[in-house]
Amino acid sequence: MKRASLVSVERKADRLIVMNCNSSRRNALSPEYYEGLSQALDLANEEAEIRSVILMGEGGYFCAGGDLNTLVKRREMTISERKNNIEKLHNLVRKVRSCAKPVIAAVDGGAAGAGVSLALACDFVVADRQAEFTLAYVKVGLVPDGGATASLSRLIPRQLLTEMCLLGQPVSAERLHQLGVVNVLSDKPALVEASLLADRIAQGPAGAQASIKRLVAASDSNSFEAQMDLERDTMAEALGGDEAQEGINAFLKRRLPEFD
């Protein structure tokens, strides 16, 4: 296990578990966490043996977003300096979304602010049944960042999004599960169900999974025709690969596939 003061990265068999260790501030984001998560994502991209990344928070809460003790000082910066600092968060969100390996958010307790953005950047969201998701920026005179409105506008009705953003109203994990935003509701610590998801991912074809992630990411901005072209090209490449040969042969012979 690699641990800095505010982040730990544990390699556990075929997965990395990245823990935000800032529990005294409900796991608010920190430069140390940015660096630790970024390095973990790089490692996941580089090493074939790593099949997934799990994000979680220490002490029963996923992430409270930006630390207001730090943000209050941003008034003293120029607008350009403020944009550069926000871009650090945005680059981290982009990196989570573009990671070649599936990333799972294990949300205990809840997520707030940019913590919601971080969870939504992941490919899967597992939440304990009592968790709440809150975008309370408006209560301190701020606005959402980290891609929160971009992600949620594609996932939930506009009226619910404005309720979350204009009123700072928490939304339960159970409601978001009903809307398809949360993949799994857990009656146990979220890491338990997240680990079961990681087990399923590890049994699948890594190359196809990476290609599927790229297709899903591209669908946000591609036209219908451009996306069909990308699907054509990606499918044509997959059909000539070893994973497809093994998967198709296993299906035809009525056995389970064994992917490398």
Side-chain angles (χ1 to χ4, degrees):
M1 177 188 294
K2 178 183 178 182
R3 179 169 184 144
S5 57
L6 296 179
V7 62
S8 75
V9 179
E10 179 182 7
R11 184 164 182 170
K12 195 169 183 180
D14 52 34
R15 67 209 61 174
L16 293 177
I17 301 175
V18 183
M19 180 184 292
N20 191 332
C21 301
N22 194 10
S23 57
S24 65
R25 297 194 180 279
R26 289 211 312 171
N27 297 317
L29 297 171
S30 64
E32 292 90 342
Y33 180 76
Y34 281 26
E35 182 179 2
L37 175 53
S38 180
Q39 291 177 355
L41 295 169
D42 286 339
L43 183 61
N45 284 330
E46 292 164 4
E47 298 204 14
E49 294 81 8
I50 297 173
R51 298 297 308 277
S52 62
V53 181
I54 299 174
L55 310 188
M56 63 179 298
E58 185 179 57
Y61 196 82
F62 182 70
C63 177
D67 188 337
L68 291 180
N69 291 283
T70 300
L71 295 182
V72 72
K73 301 174 184 177
R74 299 282 166 86
R75 181 182 175 88
E76 303 164 6
M77 296 180 173
T78 66
I79 189 73
S80 177
E81 289 171 332
R82 290 179 215 151
K83 286 181 179 180
N84 286 337
N85 273 289
I86 296 166
E87 198 62 17
K88 293 175 184 176
L89 167 64
H90 287 191
N91 285 335
L92 189 66
V93 166
R94 292 182 184 106
K95 197 165 187 174
V96 171
R97 286 173 61 92
S98 65
C99 181
K101 310 299 172 60
V103 184
I104 305 167
V107 180
D108 288 309
V116 175
S117 301
L118 184 62
L120 294 176
C122 297
D123 302 291
F124 298 94
V125 179
V126 176
D128 81 69
R129 194 172 293 275
Q130 305 306 315
E132 292 185 328
F133 293 74
T134 309
L135 296 174
Y137 295 88
V138 69
K139 294 186 177 181
V140 292
L142 295 174
V143 302
D145 58 2
T149 56
S151 295
L152 284 171
S153 66
R154 296 176 173 89
L155 297 170
I156 64 176
R158 181 173 65 87
Q159 287 76 10
L160 179 55
L161 177 58
T162 53
E163 182 180 312
M164 291 182 72
C165 295
L166 288 178
L167 302 180
Q169 187 73 23
V171 177
S172 69
E174 190 156 5
R175 187 174 183 187
L176 291 178
H177 180 255
Q178 291 168 353
L179 291 167
V181 180
V182 170
N183 297 90
V184 182
L185 279 180
S186 179
D187 294 313
K188 302 174 182 177
L191 180 61
V192 175
E193 292 289 350
S195 297
L196 293 175
L197 263 179
D199 290 341
R200 293 176 64 184
I201 290 165
Q203 295 169 5
Q209 289 168 351
S211 295
I212 289 167
K213 279 205 62 171
R214 289 193 293 270
L215 283 171
V216 171
S219 68
D220 279 348
S221 55
N222 270 350
S223 68
F224 184 79
E225 289 298 327
Q227 188 68 9
M228 284 208 301
D229 287 347
L230 183 59
E231 289 180 355
R232 176 200 63 206
D233 296 346
T234 307
M235 181 62 152
E237 184 176 346
L239 284 166
D242 293 340
E243 290 179 346
Q245 183 178 34
E246 167 60 15
I248 293 170
N249 285 340
F251 180 83
L252 294 175
K253 294 178 180 178
R254 298 185 180 181
R255 63 172 175 82
L256 293 176
E258 297 180 5
F259 297 112
D260 294 333

